[in-house]
Amino acid sequence: MSQKTSITTKILIGMVLGLILGAMLNWLASGIDWVQTYLVHGLFHVVGAMFINSLKMLVVPLVTFSLICGVFGIGDVGMLGRVGVKSFGLYLLTTALAISLALTIAILVGPGKSDSIQIQNSGFQGKEAPPLTDVFINIVPSNPVHAFANGEMLQIIFFVILFSIAMLMAGKAGEAIASGAEYLNKVMMKVVTIVMDFAPIGVFFLMAKTFSEQGIALILPMAGYFFVVIGCLLIHALGTLNLLLVLLSKLNPLTFMAKIRPAQIFAFSTASSNATIPVTMQSVEQRMGVNNSIAAFTVPFGATINMDGTAIMQGVATVFIANVYGIDLEFSQYLTIIAMSVLASIGTAGVPGVGLIMLAMVFNQVNLPVEGIGLILGVDRLLDMVRTAVNITGDAVVTCIVARGENQIDLDVFTDPEAGVITEVELPFKHEMDTP
Ligand code: ASP
């Protein structure tokens, strides 16, 4: 095993070992108090949560500095507009394709049609969908400090782009800030590398915690629903997205899939597209050669507005719950479901479990019983992990397509299997420092 590949391999090993340990504890030790208190809710929870926090900690500064560099690097407001329109259009397209695929397959397979599922009042309460007008109004931050403090991604993107355009107009003052931002961006990328060094341990504890709480047996009564969602997720990630990549960018999907794997593992372990932003950016920029000027915008934008995997879950869940309750949906309702889930994904951030809240919004629109969501709650965490991996795959595919269209991808880097592989971090010990 070469030194170069060791971090990704170690993360994978951490994931598998954590999964096995968690599943075994769930099976053998779910009634043992000290295991639950000191291991599952103690050690596993604390280390896992510290690791997720350390990833989230990177997101706002990384997006800010690299977006300043990106916009300043483009230096052309026309191109910026083109990148914005193209990525927005592609994100909507991939989400619409995802949910249409899910609805079609779910209608054909018909999960939930057998009468073995008991309807009970689960007490699941949905939220009202925020009016679409609010979604647009909220893109503009009334207080940027509040937006940064709360990690409101669309507001941050809006403010930083505006600020960077002003930098372009401000001559020398703008140039000075841009060179500062470039240094800060470089340093932040190093912070990402340091955090990634702890990833195998973090991922191990996250997996151990999740699987010691989630018995695999939970899946059995929901097997129909569960496997239709997983099947659609795989078809979309391996089929639709790769097809788009080939058709629209002529890039090799096998190379793409190999290089996006670490980001997929992070998304799977954290169930959060937002927390995965630093790793997705690292993968597309350093492993695939996408220019920072594109990725700095499309990756955080996609993590917020593009959720193909979540849309797939919503499509299958709608058909499943309609089947369980014996409700026949009309064609116009299916169209409403497609439109609603595409729109709902724009206004909601990529954080764990948000898909269910969006689903409640969709149900309200088509008058399906929101408490039906209680039926799928039990298996949602596992599906959340898989669909988050699909969500970030969609972000990366669109990033590559847009970058290729703008001639902002270095094909030598893309095809080089060793490019940008994260190696072990060598901390600068005293004798190695060359600065006083
Ligand atoms: N966890 C998903 C994400 O962050 C959203 C969801 O489906 O709940 O992308």
Side-chain angles (χ1 to χ4, degrees):
M1 192 191 310
S2 83
Q3 173 79 0
K4 280 200 148 190
T5 54
S6 63
I7 284 284
T8 309
T9 313
K10 279 183 187 170
I11 296 173
L12 202 60
I13 294 171
M15 183 176 106
V16 174
L17 290 181
L19 197 151
I20 294 172
L21 176 68
M24 280 177 57
L25 287 182
N26 179 277
W27 183 37
L28 302 170
S30 51
I32 305 177
D33 275 355
W34 69 265
V35 172
Q36 297 303 318
T37 315
Y38 295 110
L39 286 185
V40 179
H41 299 291
L43 184 69
F44 298 176
H45 171 65
V46 172
V47 183
M50 282 172 74
F51 178 63
I52 293 217
N53 277 358
S54 64
L55 279 175
K56 287 187 186 161
M57 160 186 92
L58 307 174
V59 174
V60 173
L62 187 67
V63 168
T64 308
F65 302 138
S66 72
L67 199 52
I68 292 180
C69 297
V71 177
F72 204 81
I74 291 184
D76 163 1
V77 181
M79 174 171 163
L80 198 64
R82 236 180 15 248
V83 169
V85 170
K86 274 190 198 170
S87 52
F88 185 65
L90 282 167
Y91 282 143
L92 294 193
L93 173 75
T94 55
T95 311
L97 287 175
I99 183 152
S100 310
L101 171 89
L103 285 173
T104 313
I105 294 187
I107 292 168
L108 291 177
V109 177
K113 278 211 163 136
S114 74
D115 45 14
S116 60
I117 295 165
Q118 297 287 315
I119 302 173
Q120 329 140 335
N121 195 343
S122 63
F124 185 87
Q125 299 271 324
K127 280 194 189 166
E128 281 292 309
L132 196 57
T133 44
D134 280 5
V135 172
F136 288 108
I137 293 171
N138 287 336
I139 292 176
V140 184
S142 60
N143 177 352
V145 178
H146 182 272
F148 283 99
N150 290 290
E152 295 285 352
M153 209 45 73
L154 289 186
Q155 298 191 349
I156 295 175
I157 292 175
F158 183 88
F159 181 76
V160 173
I161 289 183
L162 194 67
F163 188 82
S164 311
I165 291 175
M167 278 169 56
L168 283 170
M169 294 158 65
K172 275 216 165 92
E175 277 164 29
I177 296 180
S179 79
E182 212 162 287
Y183 286 126
L184 286 165
N185 191 31
K186 279 215 172 101
V187 175
M188 271 316 294
M189 277 296 192
K190 288 282 172 222
V191 185
V192 175
T193 320
I194 297 173
V195 171
M196 292 282 279
D197 219 29
F198 292 96
I201 302 170
V203 166
F204 171 80
F205 284 112
L206 279 176
M207 287 289 107
K209 161 109 189 321
T210 307
F211 282 88
S212 49
E213 289 177 334
Q214 301 279 320
I216 307 283
L218 264 178
I219 296 173
L220 289 180
M222 290 294 134
Y225 165 73
F226 186 86
F227 288 111
V228 174
V229 177
I230 295 284
C232 293
L233 288 172
L234 290 177
I235 295 174
H236 186 72
L238 302 175
T240 318
L241 288 176
N242 280 334
L243 200 67
L244 283 178
L245 187 74
V246 176
L247 290 179
L248 301 179
S249 73
K250 308 221 164 30
L251 292 171
N252 184 336
L254 295 179
T255 313
F256 171 85
M257 277 305 190
K259 294 194 168 196
I260 196 65
R261 195 170 309 129
Q264 288 173 329
I265 297 174
F266 269 79
F268 181 81
S269 318
T270 59
S272 168
S273 309
N274 264 22
T276 311
I277 288 175
V279 192
T280 316
M281 287 220 317
Q282 207 272 344
S283 301
V284 291
E285 285 184 22
Q286 288 169 27
R287 301 276 287 122
M288 303 188 203
V290 173
N291 197 314
N292 166 261
S293 54
I294 304 287
F297 169 70
T298 53
V299 170
F301 190 44
T304 315
I305 75 156
N306 183 49
M307 295 185 196
D308 298 357
T310 307
I312 285 174
M313 176 278 283
Q314 293 177 356
V316 180
T318 312
V319 175
F320 172 72
I321 288 173
N323 284 344
V324 170
Y325 281 84
I327 298 168
D328 274 330
L329 291 169
E330 289 167 16
F331 186 67
S332 64
Q333 285 176 300
Y334 285 121
L335 292 183
T336 313
I337 292 164
I338 295 178
M340 265 309 289
S341 76
V342 173
L343 290 176
S345 68
I346 299 179
T348 38
V351 294
V354 75
L356 283 187
I357 296 169
M358 291 156 62
L359 186 62
M361 297 176 188
V362 175
F363 276 24
N364 276 330
Q365 281 297 310
V366 289
N367 292 326
L368 277 177
V370 173
E371 70 273 10
I373 294 176
L375 283 178
I376 55 172
L377 268 182
V379 290
D380 195 64
R381 174 70 196 186
L382 291 182
L383 290 178
D384 196 1
M385 297 161 80
V386 186
R387 68 183 183 243
T388 308
V390 176
N391 288 347
I392 65 100
T393 308
D395 302 343
V397 164
V398 169
T399 299
C400 286
I401 294 174
V402 174
R404 182 83 161 122
E406 295 294 329
N407 225 347
Q408 296 290 333
I409 182 164
D410 184 338
L411 294 178
D412 290 339
V413 174
F414 187 87
T415 45
D416 176 3
E418 294 288 305
V421 167
I422 295 186
T423 51
E424 303 268 352
V425 180
E426 282 172 27
L427 291 173
F429 292 108
K430 222 173 168 192
H431 63 275
E432 288 169 359
M433 291 211 241
D434 48 9
T435 42

